[in-house]
Amino acid sequence: MPSIHVIIFAYLVLISLTAIILTCHDKTAAKRRSRRVSERTLLLISVLGGSLAMFLTMLSIRHKTKHLKFMVGIPVIIVIQVAIILLAMHWF
């Protein structure tokens, strides 16, 4: 049975890949004027652990960089996630 660390790592890799794929898909859909990924979905994936990957992808492909909801919101989510991780490491 894999350790909890392996499971957490695999989850973070999977959610990060999902964040990257959805962000790139949304950028492509915006260019083609086709069905987009909702902002709610993008933010949910970010909250679920894909925040760093999503933020770096948005910066690298220049997608949603003019939206304060994303350019301020996702870094705030990252800070909160790091704080939670540090607190968890301290307590356990």
Side-chain angles (χ1 to χ4, degrees), residues 35-92:
R35 185 177 169 105
R36 306 273 307 270
V37 178
S38 73
E39 290 185 351
R40 184 178 193 169
T41 299
L42 292 172
L43 290 171
L44 177 62
I45 294 297
S46 180
V47 167
L48 293 176
S51 56
L52 184 59
M54 185 174 293
F55 188 68
L56 293 175
T57 302
M58 286 179 170
L59 291 176
S60 67
I61 66 173
R62 297 183 183 167
H63 185 56
K64 296 210 179 276
T65 56
K66 295 181 181 179
H67 296 259
L68 280 179
K69 183 187 294 186
F70 288 93
M71 291 298 105
V72 173
I74 293 180
V76 168
I77 292 168
I78 293 169
V79 169
I80 291 169
Q81 289 171 337
V82 168
I84 290 169
I85 290 167
L86 292 175
L87 287 171
M89 288 173 56
H90 177 71
W91 285 333
F92 299 106

Side-chain angles (χ1 to χ4, degrees), residues 10-41:
Y11 171 79
L12 289 174
V13 167
L14 188 64
I15 198 73
S16 294
L17 288 173
T18 302
I20 292 166
I21 291 166
L22 285 177
T23 305
C24 291
H25 173 73
D26 190 51
K27 169 83 176 199
T28 302
K31 286 182 177 180
R32 294 182 181 169
R33 297 183 183 261
S34 62
R35 185 177 169 105
R36 306 273 307 270
V37 178
S38 73
E39 290 185 351
R40 184 178 193 169
T41 299

